[in-house]
Amino acid sequence: MKKPVFPRFAGLLILYPAVLLVLVMVQFTRQGNFTVRIGNLVVTGRYADEETVSGTRRGGPGEHNLSGGASVYFGGLEFRVSGDADEDLVLVDNSGKRKAVSPETLVLSDDGAVFRFPGGTELSFNTRYTGGSPELRISGTFAGEAAGLELPYKPLKSSRVRNSGDEIVISSGGVNYTFGRQTNGSTGFVSLKDGETPVSYRAIPEKRAFSPEDFTVSGAESPETYAEALLRWRDQNFSLWNRTVSAGADEDAVIAYEGEAVRRGNYKAAVSAVPSSFLAGGQRTYESSVYLGRMDHALSSFIAAEREKISYLSRLINEKSQDFLGESHVFEYLAVRGYLNFLNDGVELARAVDPPALAPELAPGIFEGYIDMKQHRSREENPFERLVDQACFVVSEGIRRDGDRVFVFRGNTADLEYNLRLGSGLLAWAEDSGSREWAGVGRSLVLSVLSFTGGEGTAPAALEISEEGIISESPGRRIRSARIYRILRPGEYYPRAAGIGAGINGIWTWTAASAVSASQENNVLDISVGFPAGETHYMMIRGVRPFKKIQLYNIDYRTDPQFERYDSSGWVYAAQDQILVLKMKHRAATEHIRIFY
């Protein structure tokens, strides 16, 4: 018996549109979901409806509006970028108040992703290869009152988690991963704070051809043993500097001797020991004037030296020469003096460096630049962040051990002044980034140079290594221990250029004071200066606008061109160059210079 045709036709007529409607609904509901792979990084989430349907966007070019949160996957972990889940992403403000947040927009790039939140705070994930191993860098850029983020993460079901000492090790796909600095538990969160270095989550290399621990010498094992060794070296050379100054002074010996004498409490005797032939001679510069005075000569020498230095740096910048990056603490120099345009140009030079092509002679400047930028522009992306790994590679390629000494060679030669700068810079970076192994190498490079300065107080300027690997001293020039002291810049009473405090723009001082800070209220600039009570030192403060009066010890002080003749404080003002020259006799450990505008 045949079934009626019409009911079958009617059923199919109803079924086909229903199936089509379901497919359209499924496609539409899934239309905003996305999964993006960037190298070893995977980002998932959902675009906002107005973007996926109408094509409109609230953000700028390349920004995608988000609906709800998102997830980032790397190395067997899921990082939850969401404030509406069981594990909330939390924003912490300056007062410590915490609130859950979700991103508004997402910006994708070739090496990572940036999530932007209401108010302007950003959370960045960037991938790269470090030493041939994949690494994820997580950082925050904070706006307004925002001071930190707490980013939750959890292992994937396929991952294994174990604690190895202070490290959390995540095994995924046969590779072990760990965080560069401690996080809060194996199923906890990454804490990001304003001004801190990015958090690194990286693969652990299976084999290390170079081990920094193999190049740590005696005395370099810890900050305490290093400080003891450095103090012994200063004590051993102090009497030598005394004899050098008394017999026939030079600028290096005077600065080393006077700076140490302040710390030891026999500063007056040390100043009196400097022969008049040096005070009146052409060997001395403005640098030792912080102890010895003679400020009429020091002022002109100071102005000429500053003009010559900035002219030289300007030429390097205009030529886009990478030699600029090799200059000692060049970013500190520019930041303290307020040359912000030159500093910005220097940052662009650093950004243009191709890490694999980094010249070995630039390695000390890379470590110094990292620290200088961290100190003076902590809220900005540090352009040296991506270069320090290559600078470490330069060290690992050139380092050689000779008994209980280590040196970094360039070719067949190890320049010991280069090794001092390299060791000091490497140590500062390693301590800031928490790398105990590399800190040991930095200390070892410094102590290895110091070990040469025995009875005569000198070290060879260079070492040579033969084809058989035998290390020997190069004949010829030697470095005096006083010169080494100036390269290391130890102690708190060392001559230097110092800014007078945050918020006081364009004013800085050449000084040997242990601390200089300032505050300004209405028309009064109050500069506080630290130096031992009962002692006298000199300062040149640059960038001081014409003023009404000055107070020292809360008393109005008039200018006097003969101020150095008297056993008291005094000052003169070079209006054309806006330089205030002072003699400060401390009645207390901290004195105040009050400038009334």
Side-chain angles (χ1 to χ4, degrees), residues 61-85:
E63 287 192 60
H64 301 277
N65 303 316
L66 297 178
S67 174
S71 289
V72 174
Y73 300 89
F74 182 91
L77 290 184
E78 176 189 5
F79 298 89
R80 286 288 300 158
V81 189
S82 174
D84 54 5

PDB file of all heavy atoms in Angstrom, residues 61-85:
ATOM      1  N   PRO A  61      43.397  51.333  15.538  1.00  0.00           N
ATOM      2  CA  PRO A  61      43.754  50.367  14.487  1.00  0.00           C
ATOM      3  C   PRO A  61      44.361  49.108  15.093  1.00  0.00           C
ATOM      4  O   PRO A  61      45.228  49.170  15.962  1.00  0.00           O
ATOM      5  CB  PRO A  61      44.783  51.137  13.656  1.00  0.00           C
ATOM      6  CG  PRO A  61      44.525  52.566  13.949  1.00  0.00           C
ATOM      7  CD  PRO A  61      44.045  52.626  15.364  1.00  0.00           C
ATOM      8  N   GLY A  62      43.910  47.954  14.623  1.00  0.00           N
ATOM      9  CA  GLY A  62      44.429  46.686  15.107  1.00  0.00           C
ATOM     10  C   GLY A  62      43.833  46.199  16.401  1.00  0.00           C
ATOM     11  O   GLY A  62      44.161  45.123  16.871  1.00  0.00           O
ATOM     12  N   GLU A  63      42.952  46.986  17.007  1.00  0.00           N
ATOM     13  CA  GLU A  63      42.319  46.577  18.255  1.00  0.00           C
ATOM     14  C   GLU A  63      41.025  45.823  17.974  1.00  0.00           C
ATOM     15  O   GLU A  63      40.266  46.182  17.084  1.00  0.00           O
ATOM     16  CB  GLU A  63      42.025  47.790  19.141  1.00  0.00           C
ATOM     17  CG  GLU A  63      43.250  48.409  19.780  1.00  0.00           C
ATOM     18  CD  GLU A  63      42.864  49.419  20.857  1.00  0.00           C
ATOM     19  OE1 GLU A  63      42.203  49.036  21.820  1.00  0.00           O
ATOM     20  OE2 GLU A  63      43.209  50.599  20.694  1.00  0.00           O
ATOM     21  N   HIS A  64      40.774  44.794  18.783  1.00  0.00           N
ATOM     22  CA  HIS A  64      39.539  44.025  18.704  1.00  0.00           C
ATOM     23  C   HIS A  64      38.793  44.180  20.027  1.00  0.00           C
ATOM     24  O   HIS A  64      39.365  43.974  21.099  1.00  0.00           O
ATOM     25  CB  HIS A  64      39.842  42.540  18.453  1.00  0.00           C
ATOM     26  CG  HIS A  64      40.606  42.294  17.195  1.00  0.00           C
ATOM     27  ND1 HIS A  64      40.021  42.211  15.957  1.00  0.00           N
ATOM     28  CD2 HIS A  64      41.940  42.116  16.990  1.00  0.00           C
ATOM     29  CE1 HIS A  64      40.943  41.985  15.038  1.00  0.00           C
ATOM     30  NE2 HIS A  64      42.121  41.929  15.644  1.00  0.00           N
ATOM     31  N   ASN A  65      37.519  44.536  19.943  1.00  0.00           N
ATOM     32  CA  ASN A  65      36.694  44.611  21.135  1.00  0.00           C
ATOM     33  C   ASN A  65      36.386  43.202  21.632  1.00  0.00           C
ATOM     34  O   ASN A  65      36.149  42.290  20.848  1.00  0.00           O
ATOM     35  CB  ASN A  65      35.382  45.346  20.837  1.00  0.00           C
ATOM     36  CG  ASN A  65      35.629  46.736  20.289  1.00  0.00           C
ATOM     37  OD1 ASN A  65      36.480  47.440  20.811  1.00  0.00           O
ATOM     38  ND2 ASN A  65      34.920  47.111  19.237  1.00  0.00           N
ATOM     39  N   LEU A  66      36.404  43.034  22.947  1.00  0.00           N
ATOM     40  CA  LEU A  66      36.182  41.726  23.542  1.00  0.00           C
ATOM     41  C   LEU A  66      34.869  41.699  24.308  1.00  0.00           C
ATOM     42  O   LEU A  66      34.433  42.708  24.860  1.00  0.00           O
ATOM     43  CB  LEU A  66      37.332  41.366  24.489  1.00  0.00           C
ATOM     44  CG  LEU A  66      38.713  41.214  23.863  1.00  0.00           C
ATOM     45  CD1 LEU A  66      39.741  40.905  24.942  1.00  0.00           C
ATOM     46  CD2 LEU A  66      38.711  40.123  22.799  1.00  0.00           C
ATOM     47  N   SER A  67      34.315  40.510  24.343  1.00  0.00           N
ATOM     48  CA  SER A  67      33.120  40.269  25.152  1.00  0.00           C
ATOM     49  C   SER A  67      33.518  39.296  26.252  1.00  0.00           C
ATOM     50  O   SER A  67      33.840  38.132  25.989  1.00  0.00           O
ATOM     51  CB  SER A  67      31.997  39.675  24.295  1.00  0.00           C
ATOM     52  OG  SER A  67      30.886  39.323  25.107  1.00  0.00           O
ATOM     53  N   GLY A  68      33.568  39.770  27.504  1.00  0.00           N
ATOM     54  CA  GLY A  68      34.005  38.914  28.590  1.00  0.00           C
ATOM     55  C   GLY A  68      35.504  38.782  28.603  1.00  0.00           C
ATOM     56  O   GLY A  68      36.237  39.652  28.146  1.00  0.00           O
ATOM     57  N   GLY A  69      35.990  37.663  29.110  1.00  0.00           N
ATOM     58  CA  GLY A  69      37.416  37.482  29.264  1.00  0.00           C
ATOM     59  C   GLY A  69      38.043  36.705  28.133  1.00  0.00           C
ATOM     60  O   GLY A  69      37.441  36.485  27.074  1.00  0.00           O
ATOM     61  N   ALA A  70      39.276  36.296  28.366  1.00  0.00           N
ATOM     62  CA  ALA A  70      40.026  35.527  27.388  1.00  0.00           C
ATOM     63  C   ALA A  70      40.999  34.634  28.139  1.00  0.00           C
ATOM     64  O   ALA A  70      41.161  34.737  29.359  1.00  0.00           O
ATOM     65  CB  ALA A  70      40.770  36.454  26.429  1.00  0.00           C
ATOM     66  N   SER A  71      41.647  33.735  27.416  1.00  0.00           N
ATOM     67  CA  SER A  71      42.659  32.855  27.990  1.00  0.00           C
ATOM     68  C   SER A  71      43.900  32.862  27.113  1.00  0.00           C
ATOM     69  O   SER A  71      43.796  32.983  25.890  1.00  0.00           O
ATOM     70  CB  SER A  71      42.136  31.415  28.125  1.00  0.00           C
ATOM     71  OG  SER A  71      41.161  31.327  29.140  1.00  0.00           O
ATOM     72  N   VAL A  72      45.053  32.723  27.766  1.00  0.00           N
ATOM     73  CA  VAL A  72      46.325  32.628  27.070  1.00  0.00           C
ATOM     74  C   VAL A  72      46.972  31.307  27.487  1.00  0.00           C
ATOM     75  O   VAL A  72      47.084  31.015  28.686  1.00  0.00           O
ATOM     76  CB  VAL A  72      47.247  33.811  27.418  1.00  0.00           C
ATOM     77  CG1 VAL A  72      48.624  33.627  26.797  1.00  0.00           C
ATOM     78  CG2 VAL A  72      46.626  35.123  26.935  1.00  0.00           C
ATOM     79  N   TYR A  73      47.388  30.517  26.502  1.00  0.00           N
ATOM     80  CA  TYR A  73      47.974  29.213  26.764  1.00  0.00           C
ATOM     81  C   TYR A  73      49.436  29.211  26.317  1.00  0.00           C
ATOM     82  O   TYR A  73      49.768  29.646  25.222  1.00  0.00           O
ATOM     83  CB  TYR A  73      47.218  28.114  26.014  1.00  0.00           C
ATOM     84  CG  TYR A  73      45.761  28.005  26.397  1.00  0.00           C
ATOM     85  CD1 TYR A  73      44.794  28.756  25.739  1.00  0.00           C
ATOM     86  CD2 TYR A  73      45.360  27.131  27.409  1.00  0.00           C
ATOM     87  CE1 TYR A  73      43.454  28.661  26.084  1.00  0.00           C
ATOM     88  CE2 TYR A  73      44.019  27.020  27.752  1.00  0.00           C
ATOM     89  CZ  TYR A  73      43.075  27.789  27.099  1.00  0.00           C
ATOM     90  OH  TYR A  73      41.748  27.690  27.444  1.00  0.00           O
ATOM     91  N   PHE A  74      50.308  28.709  27.225  1.00  0.00           N
ATOM     92  CA  PHE A  74      51.726  28.614  26.895  1.00  0.00           C
ATOM     93  C   PHE A  74      52.364  27.640  27.875  1.00  0.00           C
ATOM     94  O   PHE A  74      52.139  27.710  29.089  1.00  0.00           O
ATOM     95  CB  PHE A  74      52.410  29.980  27.003  1.00  0.00           C
ATOM     96  CG  PHE A  74      53.868  29.978  26.622  1.00  0.00           C
ATOM     97  CD1 PHE A  74      54.259  30.245  25.312  1.00  0.00           C
ATOM     98  CD2 PHE A  74      54.851  29.710  27.569  1.00  0.00           C
ATOM     99  CE1 PHE A  74      55.603  30.235  24.962  1.00  0.00           C
ATOM    100  CE2 PHE A  74      56.194  29.700  27.226  1.00  0.00           C
ATOM    101  CZ  PHE A  74      56.572  29.967  25.916  1.00  0.00           C
ATOM    102  N   GLY A  75      53.167  26.725  27.348  1.00  0.00           N
ATOM    103  CA  GLY A  75      53.958  25.847  28.198  1.00  0.00           C
ATOM    104  C   GLY A  75      53.165  25.050  29.211  1.00  0.00           C
ATOM    105  O   GLY A  75      53.611  24.881  30.350  1.00  0.00           O
ATOM    106  N   GLY A  76      51.975  24.563  28.814  1.00  0.00           N
ATOM    107  CA  GLY A  76      51.187  23.721  29.708  1.00  0.00           C
ATOM    108  C   GLY A  76      50.387  24.468  30.749  1.00  0.00           C
ATOM    109  O   GLY A  76      49.811  23.852  31.657  1.00  0.00           O
ATOM    110  N   LEU A  77      50.313  25.804  30.661  1.00  0.00           N
ATOM    111  CA  LEU A  77      49.521  26.604  31.598  1.00  0.00           C
ATOM    112  C   LEU A  77      48.453  27.386  30.859  1.00  0.00           C
ATOM    113  O   LEU A  77      48.636  27.781  29.697  1.00  0.00           O
ATOM    114  CB  LEU A  77      50.405  27.593  32.367  1.00  0.00           C
ATOM    115  CG  LEU A  77      51.388  27.047  33.397  1.00  0.00           C
ATOM    116  CD1 LEU A  77      52.078  28.202  34.108  1.00  0.00           C
ATOM    117  CD2 LEU A  77      50.699  26.144  34.403  1.00  0.00           C
ATOM    118  N   GLU A  78      47.349  27.638  31.539  1.00  0.00           N
ATOM    119  CA  GLU A  78      46.316  28.555  31.065  1.00  0.00           C
ATOM    120  C   GLU A  78      46.331  29.782  31.971  1.00  0.00           C
ATOM    121  O   GLU A  78      46.150  29.679  33.187  1.00  0.00           O
ATOM    122  CB  GLU A  78      44.931  27.923  31.105  1.00  0.00           C
ATOM    123  CG  GLU A  78      43.822  28.900  30.705  1.00  0.00           C
ATOM    124  CD  GLU A  78      42.421  28.372  30.951  1.00  0.00           C
ATOM    125  OE1 GLU A  78      42.291  27.269  31.534  1.00  0.00           O
ATOM    126  OE2 GLU A  78      41.448  29.072  30.583  1.00  0.00           O
ATOM    127  N   PHE A  79      46.529  30.940  31.377  1.00  0.00           N
ATOM    128  CA  PHE A  79      46.462  32.209  32.097  1.00  0.00           C
ATOM    129  C   PHE A  79      45.095  32.828  31.826  1.00  0.00           C
ATOM    130  O   PHE A  79      44.763  33.103  30.671  1.00  0.00           O
ATOM    131  CB  PHE A  79      47.579  33.150  31.633  1.00  0.00           C
ATOM    132  CG  PHE A  79      48.965  32.621  31.892  1.00  0.00           C
ATOM    133  CD1 PHE A  79      49.608  31.828  30.939  1.00  0.00           C
ATOM    134  CD2 PHE A  79      49.617  32.906  33.071  1.00  0.00           C
ATOM    135  CE1 PHE A  79      50.886  31.334  31.157  1.00  0.00           C
ATOM    136  CE2 PHE A  79      50.907  32.416  33.299  1.00  0.00           C
ATOM    137  CZ  PHE A  79      51.533  31.627  32.352  1.00  0.00           C
ATOM    138  N   ARG A  80      44.310  33.048  32.889  1.00  0.00           N
ATOM    139  CA  ARG A  80      42.945  33.542  32.735  1.00  0.00           C
ATOM    140  C   ARG A  80      42.914  35.061  32.779  1.00  0.00           C
ATOM    141  O   ARG A  80      43.186  35.688  33.800  1.00  0.00           O
ATOM    142  CB  ARG A  80      42.049  32.989  33.842  1.00  0.00           C
ATOM    143  CG  ARG A  80      41.691  31.526  33.676  1.00  0.00           C
ATOM    144  CD  ARG A  80      40.706  31.342  32.534  1.00  0.00           C
ATOM    145  NE  ARG A  80      39.475  32.086  32.786  1.00  0.00           N
ATOM    146  CZ  ARG A  80      38.628  32.455  31.839  1.00  0.00           C
ATOM    147  NH1 ARG A  80      38.892  32.202  30.576  1.00  0.00           N
ATOM    148  NH2 ARG A  80      37.527  33.102  32.148  1.00  0.00           N
ATOM    149  N   VAL A  81      42.618  35.676  31.627  1.00  0.00           N
ATOM    150  CA  VAL A  81      42.532  37.138  31.539  1.00  0.00           C
ATOM    151  C   VAL A  81      41.060  37.498  31.622  1.00  0.00           C
ATOM    152  O   VAL A  81      40.406  37.874  30.640  1.00  0.00           O
ATOM    153  CB  VAL A  81      43.163  37.649  30.232  1.00  0.00           C
ATOM    154  CG1 VAL A  81      43.268  39.172  30.244  1.00  0.00           C
ATOM    155  CG2 VAL A  81      44.549  37.049  30.039  1.00  0.00           C
ATOM    156  N   SER A  82      40.495  37.361  32.829  1.00  0.00           N
ATOM    157  CA  SER A  82      39.052  37.526  32.990  1.00  0.00           C
ATOM    158  C   SER A  82      38.735  37.880  34.429  1.00  0.00           C
ATOM    159  O   SER A  82      39.369  37.369  35.361  1.00  0.00           O
ATOM    160  CB  SER A  82      38.320  36.234  32.602  1.00  0.00           C
ATOM    161  OG  SER A  82      36.944  36.338  32.894  1.00  0.00           O
ATOM    162  N   GLY A  83      37.749  38.741  34.590  1.00  0.00           N
ATOM    163  CA  GLY A  83      37.270  39.093  35.921  1.00  0.00           C
ATOM    164  C   GLY A  83      35.914  38.514  36.227  1.00  0.00           C
ATOM    165  O   GLY A  83      35.278  38.901  37.211  1.00  0.00           O
ATOM    166  N   ASP A  84      35.424  37.584  35.399  1.00  0.00           N
ATOM    167  CA  ASP A  84      34.083  37.034  35.608  1.00  0.00           C
ATOM    168  C   ASP A  84      34.121  35.513  35.689  1.00  0.00           C
ATOM    169  O   ASP A  84      33.199  34.830  35.269  1.00  0.00           O
ATOM    170  CB  ASP A  84      33.134  37.482  34.489  1.00  0.00           C
ATOM    171  CG  ASP A  84      33.679  37.153  33.104  1.00  0.00           C
ATOM    172  OD1 ASP A  84      34.734  36.496  33.036  1.00  0.00           O
ATOM    173  OD2 ASP A  84      33.046  37.567  32.120  1.00  0.00           O
ATOM    174  N   ALA A  85      35.228  34.967  36.210  1.00  0.00           N
ATOM    175  CA  ALA A  85      35.341  33.522  36.349  1.00  0.00           C
ATOM    176  C   ALA A  85      35.621  33.188  37.812  1.00  0.00           C
ATOM    177  O   ALA A  85      35.734  34.072  38.666  1.00  0.00           O
ATOM    178  CB  ALA A  85      36.465  32.987  35.453  1.00  0.00           C
TER     179      ALA A  85
END
